[in-house]
Amino acid sequence: MKKQEALHQLNERNHTRTTCGLKMLATQPVFGAGSPNATIVFIGEAPGKTEDKLGVPFMGSSGKFLDEMLHDIKVSRSDVYITNIVKYRPPENRDPSTDEKNACRAWLNEELDCIHPQLIVFLGRHAMNSFFPDRKISEAHGKLIHDKTTSLSAEYFLPLYHPASALYNGGMRDTLKKDFSRIPKILKKIEQEISRD
Ligand code: URA
């Protein structure tokens, strides 16, 4: 089966079977989007109002900022895969609860197993802490994590500040842009390490 079809099927299956309480409150699910053959997967927190309306991740103001940073490193959205830890909009954009995150977690793992990216980029602390619960985003942002011990099909992880938290904070915005601009070099380094193994 082609990866695109496999992704489509796993999304439909998980949407049908999910125990996530947010499903009843959201307009529609927001599935991951982009290339099933992506080398980079970006993981955000949860859909907001615009994403809930359109059914596509990162389409509002954080999405515009993400697009700007992708453009700066000459990468298009269609080259990468963008998803969220939670697939349904929490009411009033509140933080997703631990139960809501856990309910969508196996779904996210299936997406990652299907895509098998070289690099997973966490957009914000919620995404990072779903994988590395003890790390602090203020210390971990912009630093590549190489960890072979997770049960995931990826070994390299890059935590970044969430675009929404950086949008209206000049200092954080500059930090996020700087961290983001390291992605091409990080990918080259990963490719070299993979070819050495
Ligand atoms: N913020 C997120 O974390 N995800 C989206 O899809 C949109 C905004």
Side-chain angles (χ1 to χ4, degrees), residues 78-115:
S78 55
D79 297 331
V80 300
Y81 185 83
I82 303 174
T83 190
N84 283 303
I85 45 176
V86 166
K87 313 302 188 208
Y88 305 93
R89 181 192 182 205
E92 310 302 326
N93 294 350
R94 65 160 169 76
D95 286 351
S97 70
T98 305
D99 280 355
E100 289 157 358
K101 289 186 218 173
N102 289 344
C104 287
R105 185 51 205 269
W107 183 345
L108 176 59
N109 284 0
E110 281 188 46
E111 287 176 278
L112 296 174
D113 281 346
C114 180
I115 296 170

PDB file of all heavy atoms in Angstrom, residues 78-115:
ATOM      1  N   SER A  78       4.781  21.510   1.165  1.00  0.00           N
ATOM      2  CA  SER A  78       4.506  20.210   0.544  1.00  0.00           C
ATOM      3  C   SER A  78       5.688  19.247   0.663  1.00  0.00           C
ATOM      4  O   SER A  78       5.566  18.069   0.369  1.00  0.00           O
ATOM      5  CB  SER A  78       4.112  20.400  -0.926  1.00  0.00           C
ATOM      6  OG  SER A  78       5.121  21.131  -1.574  1.00  0.00           O
ATOM      7  N   ASP A  79       6.853  19.755   1.109  1.00  0.00           N
ATOM      8  CA  ASP A  79       8.027  18.875   1.291  1.00  0.00           C
ATOM      9  C   ASP A  79       8.042  18.249   2.684  1.00  0.00           C
ATOM     10  O   ASP A  79       8.767  17.290   2.925  1.00  0.00           O
ATOM     11  CB  ASP A  79       9.343  19.681   1.184  1.00  0.00           C
ATOM     12  CG  ASP A  79       9.540  20.296  -0.175  1.00  0.00           C
ATOM     13  OD1 ASP A  79       9.045  19.711  -1.144  1.00  0.00           O
ATOM     14  OD2 ASP A  79      10.185  21.361  -0.263  1.00  0.00           O
ATOM     15  N   VAL A  80       7.336  18.870   3.626  1.00  0.00           N
ATOM     16  CA  VAL A  80       7.393  18.412   5.020  1.00  0.00           C
ATOM     17  C   VAL A  80       6.016  17.865   5.424  1.00  0.00           C
ATOM     18  O   VAL A  80       5.067  17.921   4.637  1.00  0.00           O
ATOM     19  CB  VAL A  80       7.820  19.557   5.975  1.00  0.00           C
ATOM     20  CG1 VAL A  80       9.191  20.086   5.595  1.00  0.00           C
ATOM     21  CG2 VAL A  80       6.797  20.693   5.996  1.00  0.00           C
ATOM     22  N   TYR A  81       5.935  17.322   6.614  1.00  0.00           N
ATOM     23  CA  TYR A  81       4.648  16.852   7.127  1.00  0.00           C
ATOM     24  C   TYR A  81       4.389  17.592   8.431  1.00  0.00           C
ATOM     25  O   TYR A  81       5.284  17.705   9.274  1.00  0.00           O
ATOM     26  CB  TYR A  81       4.710  15.345   7.356  1.00  0.00           C
ATOM     27  CG  TYR A  81       3.399  14.723   7.764  1.00  0.00           C
ATOM     28  CD1 TYR A  81       2.441  14.373   6.819  1.00  0.00           C
ATOM     29  CD2 TYR A  81       3.121  14.463   9.104  1.00  0.00           C
ATOM     30  CE1 TYR A  81       1.232  13.791   7.193  1.00  0.00           C
ATOM     31  CE2 TYR A  81       1.915  13.870   9.486  1.00  0.00           C
ATOM     32  CZ  TYR A  81       0.985  13.546   8.528  1.00  0.00           C
ATOM     33  OH  TYR A  81      -0.212  12.969   8.903  1.00  0.00           O
ATOM     34  N   ILE A  82       3.191  18.142   8.575  1.00  0.00           N
ATOM     35  CA  ILE A  82       2.852  18.943   9.753  1.00  0.00           C
ATOM     36  C   ILE A  82       1.643  18.321  10.436  1.00  0.00           C
ATOM     37  O   ILE A  82       0.617  18.050   9.792  1.00  0.00           O
ATOM     38  CB  ILE A  82       2.532  20.400   9.346  1.00  0.00           C
ATOM     39  CG1 ILE A  82       3.717  21.019   8.596  1.00  0.00           C
ATOM     40  CG2 ILE A  82       2.190  21.240  10.573  1.00  0.00           C
ATOM     41  CD1 ILE A  82       3.449  22.407   8.020  1.00  0.00           C
ATOM     42  N   THR A  83       1.784  18.075  11.743  1.00  0.00           N
ATOM     43  CA  THR A  83       0.667  17.475  12.476  1.00  0.00           C
ATOM     44  C   THR A  83       0.620  18.037  13.892  1.00  0.00           C
ATOM     45  O   THR A  83       1.404  18.937  14.231  1.00  0.00           O
ATOM     46  CB  THR A  83       0.762  15.930  12.438  1.00  0.00           C
ATOM     47  OG1 THR A  83      -0.442  15.362  12.937  1.00  0.00           O
ATOM     48  CG2 THR A  83       1.948  15.393  13.231  1.00  0.00           C
ATOM     49  N   ASN A  84      -0.284  17.548  14.692  1.00  0.00           N
ATOM     50  CA  ASN A  84      -0.451  18.013  16.073  1.00  0.00           C
ATOM     51  C   ASN A  84      -0.547  16.820  17.014  1.00  0.00           C
ATOM     52  O   ASN A  84      -0.952  15.730  16.591  1.00  0.00           O
ATOM     53  CB  ASN A  84      -1.748  18.830  16.197  1.00  0.00           C
ATOM     54  CG  ASN A  84      -1.617  20.234  15.637  1.00  0.00           C
ATOM     55  OD1 ASN A  84      -0.762  21.009  16.056  1.00  0.00           O
ATOM     56  ND2 ASN A  84      -2.461  20.559  14.663  1.00  0.00           N
ATOM     57  N   ILE A  85      -0.222  17.040  18.296  1.00  0.00           N
ATOM     58  CA  ILE A  85      -0.388  15.927  19.234  1.00  0.00           C
ATOM     59  C   ILE A  85      -1.876  15.624  19.445  1.00  0.00           C
ATOM     60  O   ILE A  85      -2.252  14.495  19.628  1.00  0.00           O
ATOM     61  CB  ILE A  85       0.347  16.145  20.589  1.00  0.00           C
ATOM     62  CG1 ILE A  85       0.144  17.538  21.143  1.00  0.00           C
ATOM     63  CG2 ILE A  85       1.810  15.804  20.501  1.00  0.00           C
ATOM     64  CD1 ILE A  85       0.773  17.718  22.517  1.00  0.00           C
ATOM     65  N   VAL A  86      -2.708  16.641  19.384  1.00  0.00           N
ATOM     66  CA  VAL A  86      -4.152  16.472  19.546  1.00  0.00           C
ATOM     67  C   VAL A  86      -4.820  16.880  18.233  1.00  0.00           C
ATOM     68  O   VAL A  86      -4.478  17.908  17.658  1.00  0.00           O
ATOM     69  CB  VAL A  86      -4.649  17.343  20.733  1.00  0.00           C
ATOM     70  CG1 VAL A  86      -6.154  17.471  20.744  1.00  0.00           C
ATOM     71  CG2 VAL A  86      -4.159  16.761  22.057  1.00  0.00           C
ATOM     72  N   LYS A  87      -5.736  16.074  17.755  1.00  0.00           N
ATOM     73  CA  LYS A  87      -6.291  16.303  16.408  1.00  0.00           C
ATOM     74  C   LYS A  87      -7.593  17.107  16.387  1.00  0.00           C
ATOM     75  O   LYS A  87      -8.168  17.320  15.328  1.00  0.00           O
ATOM     76  CB  LYS A  87      -6.561  14.966  15.697  1.00  0.00           C
ATOM     77  CG  LYS A  87      -5.430  13.957  15.763  1.00  0.00           C
ATOM     78  CD  LYS A  87      -4.136  14.463  15.179  1.00  0.00           C
ATOM     79  CE  LYS A  87      -3.116  13.339  15.110  1.00  0.00           C
ATOM     80  NZ  LYS A  87      -1.738  13.831  15.191  1.00  0.00           N
ATOM     81  N   TYR A  88      -8.060  17.514  17.574  1.00  0.00           N
ATOM     82  CA  TYR A  88      -9.336  18.253  17.654  1.00  0.00           C
ATOM     83  C   TYR A  88      -9.118  19.540  18.447  1.00  0.00           C
ATOM     84  O   TYR A  88      -8.345  19.558  19.410  1.00  0.00           O
ATOM     85  CB  TYR A  88     -10.401  17.399  18.366  1.00  0.00           C
ATOM     86  CG  TYR A  88     -10.603  16.045  17.729  1.00  0.00           C
ATOM     87  CD1 TYR A  88      -9.895  14.932  18.191  1.00  0.00           C
ATOM     88  CD2 TYR A  88     -11.469  15.890  16.653  1.00  0.00           C
ATOM     89  CE1 TYR A  88     -10.058  13.680  17.595  1.00  0.00           C
ATOM     90  CE2 TYR A  88     -11.638  14.638  16.052  1.00  0.00           C
ATOM     91  CZ  TYR A  88     -10.931  13.547  16.527  1.00  0.00           C
ATOM     92  OH  TYR A  88     -11.093  12.316  15.940  1.00  0.00           O
ATOM     93  N   ARG A  89      -9.823  20.583  18.077  1.00  0.00           N
ATOM     94  CA  ARG A  89      -9.633  21.876  18.750  1.00  0.00           C
ATOM     95  C   ARG A  89     -10.176  21.861  20.183  1.00  0.00           C
ATOM     96  O   ARG A  89     -11.369  21.578  20.389  1.00  0.00           O
ATOM     97  CB  ARG A  89     -10.366  22.972  17.971  1.00  0.00           C
ATOM     98  CG  ARG A  89     -10.177  24.317  18.615  1.00  0.00           C
ATOM     99  CD  ARG A  89     -11.114  25.365  18.053  1.00  0.00           C
ATOM    100  NE  ARG A  89     -10.850  26.651  18.694  1.00  0.00           N
ATOM    101  CZ  ARG A  89     -11.745  27.618  18.808  1.00  0.00           C
ATOM    102  NH1 ARG A  89     -12.959  27.462  18.313  1.00  0.00           N
ATOM    103  NH2 ARG A  89     -11.432  28.737  19.403  1.00  0.00           N
ATOM    104  N   PRO A  90      -9.339  22.199  21.167  1.00  0.00           N
ATOM    105  CA  PRO A  90      -9.876  22.367  22.519  1.00  0.00           C
ATOM    106  C   PRO A  90     -10.704  23.662  22.577  1.00  0.00           C
ATOM    107  O   PRO A  90     -10.313  24.662  21.970  1.00  0.00           O
ATOM    108  CB  PRO A  90      -8.619  22.505  23.400  1.00  0.00           C
ATOM    109  CG  PRO A  90      -7.471  22.047  22.543  1.00  0.00           C
ATOM    110  CD  PRO A  90      -7.880  22.352  21.127  1.00  0.00           C
ATOM    111  N   PRO A  91     -11.852  23.647  23.288  1.00  0.00           N
ATOM    112  CA  PRO A  91     -12.697  24.850  23.324  1.00  0.00           C
ATOM    113  C   PRO A  91     -11.931  26.070  23.828  1.00  0.00           C
ATOM    114  O   PRO A  91     -11.102  25.944  24.735  1.00  0.00           O
ATOM    115  CB  PRO A  91     -13.805  24.478  24.322  1.00  0.00           C
ATOM    116  CG  PRO A  91     -13.646  23.033  24.618  1.00  0.00           C
ATOM    117  CD  PRO A  91     -12.335  22.560  24.110  1.00  0.00           C
ATOM    118  N   GLU A  92     -12.207  27.207  23.234  1.00  0.00           N
ATOM    119  CA  GLU A  92     -11.558  28.487  23.606  1.00  0.00           C
ATOM    120  C   GLU A  92     -10.029  28.398  23.550  1.00  0.00           C
ATOM    121  O   GLU A  92      -9.344  29.122  24.262  1.00  0.00           O
ATOM    122  CB  GLU A  92     -11.974  28.939  25.022  1.00  0.00           C
ATOM    123  CG  GLU A  92     -13.463  28.935  25.296  1.00  0.00           C
ATOM    124  CD  GLU A  92     -14.227  29.809  24.322  1.00  0.00           C
ATOM    125  OE1 GLU A  92     -13.695  30.853  23.891  1.00  0.00           O
ATOM    126  OE2 GLU A  92     -15.359  29.427  23.969  1.00  0.00           O
ATOM    127  N   ASN A  93      -9.523  27.457  22.765  1.00  0.00           N
ATOM    128  CA  ASN A  93      -8.062  27.282  22.616  1.00  0.00           C
ATOM    129  C   ASN A  93      -7.335  27.015  23.934  1.00  0.00           C
ATOM    130  O   ASN A  93      -6.174  27.372  24.083  1.00  0.00           O
ATOM    131  CB  ASN A  93      -7.410  28.497  21.938  1.00  0.00           C
ATOM    132  CG  ASN A  93      -7.869  28.658  20.511  1.00  0.00           C
ATOM    133  OD1 ASN A  93      -8.526  27.760  19.963  1.00  0.00           O
ATOM    134  ND2 ASN A  93      -7.530  29.773  19.913  1.00  0.00           N
ATOM    135  N   ARG A  94      -8.051  26.400  24.890  1.00  0.00           N
ATOM    136  CA  ARG A  94      -7.361  26.062  26.143  1.00  0.00           C
ATOM    137  C   ARG A  94      -6.323  24.985  25.855  1.00  0.00           C
ATOM    138  O   ARG A  94      -6.350  24.330  24.811  1.00  0.00           O
ATOM    139  CB  ARG A  94      -8.364  25.585  27.198  1.00  0.00           C
ATOM    140  CG  ARG A  94      -9.080  24.282  26.849  1.00  0.00           C
ATOM    141  CD  ARG A  94      -9.660  23.622  28.091  1.00  0.00           C
ATOM    142  NE  ARG A  94     -10.564  22.531  27.772  1.00  0.00           N
ATOM    143  CZ  ARG A  94     -10.210  21.333  27.363  1.00  0.00           C
ATOM    144  NH1 ARG A  94      -8.931  21.051  27.137  1.00  0.00           N
ATOM    145  NH2 ARG A  94     -11.115  20.399  27.108  1.00  0.00           N
ATOM    146  N   ASP A  95      -5.384  24.787  26.807  1.00  0.00           N
ATOM    147  CA  ASP A  95      -4.385  23.730  26.664  1.00  0.00           C
ATOM    148  C   ASP A  95      -5.093  22.375  26.661  1.00  0.00           C
ATOM    149  O   ASP A  95      -6.026  22.164  27.456  1.00  0.00           O
ATOM    150  CB  ASP A  95      -3.399  23.743  27.855  1.00  0.00           C
ATOM    151  CG  ASP A  95      -2.411  24.899  27.775  1.00  0.00           C
ATOM    152  OD1 ASP A  95      -2.375  25.585  26.730  1.00  0.00           O
ATOM    153  OD2 ASP A  95      -1.681  25.115  28.757  1.00  0.00           O
ATOM    154  N   PRO A  96      -4.645  21.444  25.811  1.00  0.00           N
ATOM    155  CA  PRO A  96      -5.228  20.101  25.892  1.00  0.00           C
ATOM    156  C   PRO A  96      -4.850  19.445  27.219  1.00  0.00           C
ATOM    157  O   PRO A  96      -3.742  19.659  27.724  1.00  0.00           O
ATOM    158  CB  PRO A  96      -4.594  19.349  24.713  1.00  0.00           C
ATOM    159  CG  PRO A  96      -3.461  20.185  24.217  1.00  0.00           C
ATOM    160  CD  PRO A  96      -3.631  21.580  24.751  1.00  0.00           C
ATOM    161  N   SER A  97      -5.780  18.660  27.790  1.00  0.00           N
ATOM    162  CA  SER A  97      -5.497  17.985  29.068  1.00  0.00           C
ATOM    163  C   SER A  97      -4.613  16.764  28.818  1.00  0.00           C
ATOM    164  O   SER A  97      -4.456  16.319  27.669  1.00  0.00           O
ATOM    165  CB  SER A  97      -6.809  17.534  29.719  1.00  0.00           C
ATOM    166  OG  SER A  97      -7.362  16.472  28.956  1.00  0.00           O
ATOM    167  N   THR A  98      -4.069  16.220  29.897  1.00  0.00           N
ATOM    168  CA  THR A  98      -3.234  15.015  29.769  1.00  0.00           C
ATOM    169  C   THR A  98      -4.045  13.878  29.147  1.00  0.00           C
ATOM    170  O   THR A  98      -3.558  13.169  28.262  1.00  0.00           O
ATOM    171  CB  THR A  98      -2.701  14.605  31.163  1.00  0.00           C
ATOM    172  OG1 THR A  98      -2.021  15.737  31.707  1.00  0.00           O
ATOM    173  CG2 THR A  98      -1.756  13.432  31.089  1.00  0.00           C
ATOM    174  N   ASP A  99      -5.293  13.707  29.572  1.00  0.00           N
ATOM    175  CA  ASP A  99      -6.144  12.643  29.009  1.00  0.00           C
ATOM    176  C   ASP A  99      -6.342  12.840  27.513  1.00  0.00           C
ATOM    177  O   ASP A  99      -6.313  11.878  26.742  1.00  0.00           O
ATOM    178  CB  ASP A  99      -7.539  12.653  29.670  1.00  0.00           C
ATOM    179  CG  ASP A  99      -7.524  11.960  31.013  1.00  0.00           C
ATOM    180  OD1 ASP A  99      -6.469  11.405  31.377  1.00  0.00           O
ATOM    181  OD2 ASP A  99      -8.572  11.988  31.698  1.00  0.00           O
ATOM    182  N   GLU A 100      -6.571  14.094  27.113  1.00  0.00           N
ATOM    183  CA  GLU A 100      -6.796  14.370  25.685  1.00  0.00           C
ATOM    184  C   GLU A 100      -5.535  14.088  24.876  1.00  0.00           C
ATOM    185  O   GLU A 100      -5.588  13.534  23.776  1.00  0.00           O
ATOM    186  CB  GLU A 100      -7.257  15.827  25.510  1.00  0.00           C
ATOM    187  CG  GLU A 100      -8.674  16.051  26.032  1.00  0.00           C
ATOM    188  CD  GLU A 100      -9.004  17.490  26.405  1.00  0.00           C
ATOM    189  OE1 GLU A 100      -8.117  18.383  26.317  1.00  0.00           O
ATOM    190  OE2 GLU A 100     -10.149  17.736  26.814  1.00  0.00           O
ATOM    191  N   LYS A 101      -4.390  14.452  25.445  1.00  0.00           N
ATOM    192  CA  LYS A 101      -3.115  14.183  24.740  1.00  0.00           C
ATOM    193  C   LYS A 101      -2.882  12.675  24.645  1.00  0.00           C
ATOM    194  O   LYS A 101      -2.519  12.164  23.590  1.00  0.00           O
ATOM    195  CB  LYS A 101      -1.951  14.827  25.491  1.00  0.00           C
ATOM    196  CG  LYS A 101      -1.931  16.335  25.411  1.00  0.00           C
ATOM    197  CD  LYS A 101      -0.656  16.826  26.070  1.00  0.00           C
ATOM    198  CE  LYS A 101      -0.880  18.080  26.836  1.00  0.00           C
ATOM    199  NZ  LYS A 101       0.250  18.515  27.622  1.00  0.00           N
ATOM    200  N   ASN A 102      -3.121  11.984  25.760  1.00  0.00           N
ATOM    201  CA  ASN A 102      -2.900  10.529  25.762  1.00  0.00           C
ATOM    202  C   ASN A 102      -3.822   9.819  24.775  1.00  0.00           C
ATOM    203  O   ASN A 102      -3.429   8.854  24.133  1.00  0.00           O
ATOM    204  CB  ASN A 102      -3.107   9.947  27.167  1.00  0.00           C
ATOM    205  CG  ASN A 102      -1.984  10.365  28.103  1.00  0.00           C
ATOM    206  OD1 ASN A 102      -0.936  10.820  27.648  1.00  0.00           O
ATOM    207  ND2 ASN A 102      -2.202  10.227  29.405  1.00  0.00           N
ATOM    208  N   ALA A 103      -5.059  10.326  24.667  1.00  0.00           N
ATOM    209  CA  ALA A 103      -6.028   9.677  23.783  1.00  0.00           C
ATOM    210  C   ALA A 103      -5.591   9.746  22.320  1.00  0.00           C
ATOM    211  O   ALA A 103      -5.930   8.865  21.524  1.00  0.00           O
ATOM    212  CB  ALA A 103      -7.405  10.319  23.961  1.00  0.00           C
ATOM    213  N   CYS A 104      -4.847  10.773  21.959  1.00  0.00           N
ATOM    214  CA  CYS A 104      -4.413  10.932  20.558  1.00  0.00           C
ATOM    215  C   CYS A 104      -2.989  10.421  20.328  1.00  0.00           C
ATOM    216  O   CYS A 104      -2.482  10.496  19.209  1.00  0.00           O
ATOM    217  CB  CYS A 104      -4.493  12.397  20.126  1.00  0.00           C
ATOM    218  SG  CYS A 104      -6.169  13.013  19.859  1.00  0.00           S
ATOM    219  N   ARG A 105      -2.346   9.912  21.371  1.00  0.00           N
ATOM    220  CA  ARG A 105      -0.919   9.596  21.267  1.00  0.00           C
ATOM    221  C   ARG A 105      -0.601   8.408  20.331  1.00  0.00           C
ATOM    222  O   ARG A 105       0.333   8.463  19.518  1.00  0.00           O
ATOM    223  CB  ARG A 105      -0.347   9.362  22.662  1.00  0.00           C
ATOM    224  CG  ARG A 105       1.134   9.135  22.704  1.00  0.00           C
ATOM    225  CD  ARG A 105       1.855  10.252  21.920  1.00  0.00           C
ATOM    226  NE  ARG A 105       3.129   9.782  21.455  1.00  0.00           N
ATOM    227  CZ  ARG A 105       4.262   9.899  22.137  1.00  0.00           C
ATOM    228  NH1 ARG A 105       4.279  10.529  23.296  1.00  0.00           N
ATOM    229  NH2 ARG A 105       5.376   9.422  21.651  1.00  0.00           N
ATOM    230  N   ALA A 106      -1.403   7.329  20.425  1.00  0.00           N
ATOM    231  CA  ALA A 106      -1.134   6.163  19.572  1.00  0.00           C
ATOM    232  C   ALA A 106      -1.328   6.552  18.103  1.00  0.00           C
ATOM    233  O   ALA A 106      -0.622   6.063  17.207  1.00  0.00           O
ATOM    234  CB  ALA A 106      -2.062   5.021  19.950  1.00  0.00           C
ATOM    235  N   TRP A 107      -2.262   7.441  17.866  1.00  0.00           N
ATOM    236  CA  TRP A 107      -2.555   7.958  16.518  1.00  0.00           C
ATOM    237  C   TRP A 107      -1.306   8.652  15.963  1.00  0.00           C
ATOM    238  O   TRP A 107      -0.868   8.378  14.836  1.00  0.00           O
ATOM    239  CB  TRP A 107      -3.729   8.912  16.636  1.00  0.00           C
ATOM    240  CG  TRP A 107      -4.294   9.535  15.403  1.00  0.00           C
ATOM    241  CD1 TRP A 107      -3.741   9.598  14.155  1.00  0.00           C
ATOM    242  CD2 TRP A 107      -5.562  10.175  15.314  1.00  0.00           C
ATOM    243  NE1 TRP A 107      -4.585  10.246  13.289  1.00  0.00           N
ATOM    244  CE2 TRP A 107      -5.712  10.616  13.978  1.00  0.00           C
ATOM    245  CE3 TRP A 107      -6.589  10.439  16.220  1.00  0.00           C
ATOM    246  CZ2 TRP A 107      -6.846  11.305  13.544  1.00  0.00           C
ATOM    247  CZ3 TRP A 107      -7.728  11.126  15.778  1.00  0.00           C
ATOM    248  CH2 TRP A 107      -7.845  11.549  14.454  1.00  0.00           C
ATOM    249  N   LEU A 108      -0.718   9.525  16.779  1.00  0.00           N
ATOM    250  CA  LEU A 108       0.505  10.233  16.362  1.00  0.00           C
ATOM    251  C   LEU A 108       1.644   9.241  16.100  1.00  0.00           C
ATOM    252  O   LEU A 108       2.370   9.361  15.102  1.00  0.00           O
ATOM    253  CB  LEU A 108       0.897  11.247  17.442  1.00  0.00           C
ATOM    254  CG  LEU A 108       2.197  12.019  17.249  1.00  0.00           C
ATOM    255  CD1 LEU A 108       2.187  12.822  15.949  1.00  0.00           C
ATOM    256  CD2 LEU A 108       2.432  12.975  18.429  1.00  0.00           C
ATOM    257  N   ASN A 109       1.784   8.249  16.969  1.00  0.00           N
ATOM    258  CA  ASN A 109       2.844   7.248  16.769  1.00  0.00           C
ATOM    259  C   ASN A 109       2.653   6.508  15.446  1.00  0.00           C
ATOM    260  O   ASN A 109       3.624   6.226  14.744  1.00  0.00           O
ATOM    261  CB  ASN A 109       2.864   6.242  17.923  1.00  0.00           C
ATOM    262  CG  ASN A 109       3.497   6.832  19.168  1.00  0.00           C
ATOM    263  OD1 ASN A 109       3.913   7.991  19.167  1.00  0.00           O
ATOM    264  ND2 ASN A 109       3.552   6.057  20.227  1.00  0.00           N
ATOM    265  N   GLU A 110       1.404   6.218  15.105  1.00  0.00           N
ATOM    266  CA  GLU A 110       1.146   5.530  13.827  1.00  0.00           C
ATOM    267  C   GLU A 110       1.548   6.413  12.649  1.00  0.00           C
ATOM    268  O   GLU A 110       2.108   5.935  11.665  1.00  0.00           O
ATOM    269  CB  GLU A 110      -0.341   5.179  13.701  1.00  0.00           C
ATOM    270  CG  GLU A 110      -0.747   3.943  14.485  1.00  0.00           C
ATOM    271  CD  GLU A 110      -2.186   3.536  14.165  1.00  0.00           C
ATOM    272  OE1 GLU A 110      -2.579   3.499  12.988  1.00  0.00           O
ATOM    273  OE2 GLU A 110      -2.930   3.271  15.128  1.00  0.00           O
ATOM    274  N   GLU A 111       1.267   7.715  12.758  1.00  0.00           N
ATOM    275  CA  GLU A 111       1.665   8.633  11.672  1.00  0.00           C
ATOM    276  C   GLU A 111       3.190   8.613  11.510  1.00  0.00           C
ATOM    277  O   GLU A 111       3.714   8.550  10.404  1.00  0.00           O
ATOM    278  CB  GLU A 111       1.258  10.078  12.020  1.00  0.00           C
ATOM    279  CG  GLU A 111      -0.201  10.403  11.943  1.00  0.00           C
ATOM    280  CD  GLU A 111      -0.445  11.845  12.418  1.00  0.00           C
ATOM    281  OE1 GLU A 111      -0.530  12.064  13.641  1.00  0.00           O
ATOM    282  OE2 GLU A 111      -0.514  12.745  11.566  1.00  0.00           O
ATOM    283  N   LEU A 112       3.882   8.680  12.659  1.00  0.00           N
ATOM    284  CA  LEU A 112       5.355   8.735  12.616  1.00  0.00           C
ATOM    285  C   LEU A 112       5.928   7.430  12.082  1.00  0.00           C
ATOM    286  O   LEU A 112       6.883   7.437  11.293  1.00  0.00           O
ATOM    287  CB  LEU A 112       5.914   9.058  14.008  1.00  0.00           C
ATOM    288  CG  LEU A 112       5.529  10.434  14.559  1.00  0.00           C
ATOM    289  CD1 LEU A 112       6.000  10.596  15.998  1.00  0.00           C
ATOM    290  CD2 LEU A 112       6.095  11.555  13.691  1.00  0.00           C
ATOM    291  N   ASP A 113       5.345   6.301  12.472  1.00  0.00           N
ATOM    292  CA  ASP A 113       5.808   4.998  11.964  1.00  0.00           C
ATOM    293  C   ASP A 113       5.631   4.913  10.455  1.00  0.00           C
ATOM    294  O   ASP A 113       6.444   4.329   9.759  1.00  0.00           O
ATOM    295  CB  ASP A 113       5.019   3.847  12.617  1.00  0.00           C
ATOM    296  CG  ASP A 113       5.537   3.554  14.013  1.00  0.00           C
ATOM    297  OD1 ASP A 113       6.632   4.032  14.351  1.00  0.00           O
ATOM    298  OD2 ASP A 113       4.829   2.852  14.767  1.00  0.00           O
ATOM    299  N   CYS A 114       4.553   5.484   9.974  1.00  0.00           N
ATOM    300  CA  CYS A 114       4.266   5.431   8.532  1.00  0.00           C
ATOM    301  C   CYS A 114       5.249   6.320   7.758  1.00  0.00           C
ATOM    302  O   CYS A 114       5.800   5.914   6.742  1.00  0.00           O
ATOM    303  CB  CYS A 114       2.821   5.876   8.305  1.00  0.00           C
ATOM    304  SG  CYS A 114       2.315   5.865   6.601  1.00  0.00           S
ATOM    305  N   ILE A 115       5.511   7.506   8.267  1.00  0.00           N
ATOM    306  CA  ILE A 115       6.363   8.463   7.536  1.00  0.00           C
ATOM    307  C   ILE A 115       7.843   8.161   7.737  1.00  0.00           C
ATOM    308  O   ILE A 115       8.640   8.320   6.824  1.00  0.00           O
ATOM    309  CB  ILE A 115       6.021   9.907   7.979  1.00  0.00           C
ATOM    310  CG1 ILE A 115       4.589  10.212   7.571  1.00  0.00           C
ATOM    311  CG2 ILE A 115       6.970  10.918   7.347  1.00  0.00           C
ATOM    312  CD1 ILE A 115       4.048  11.478   8.152  1.00  0.00           C
TER     313      ILE A 115
END
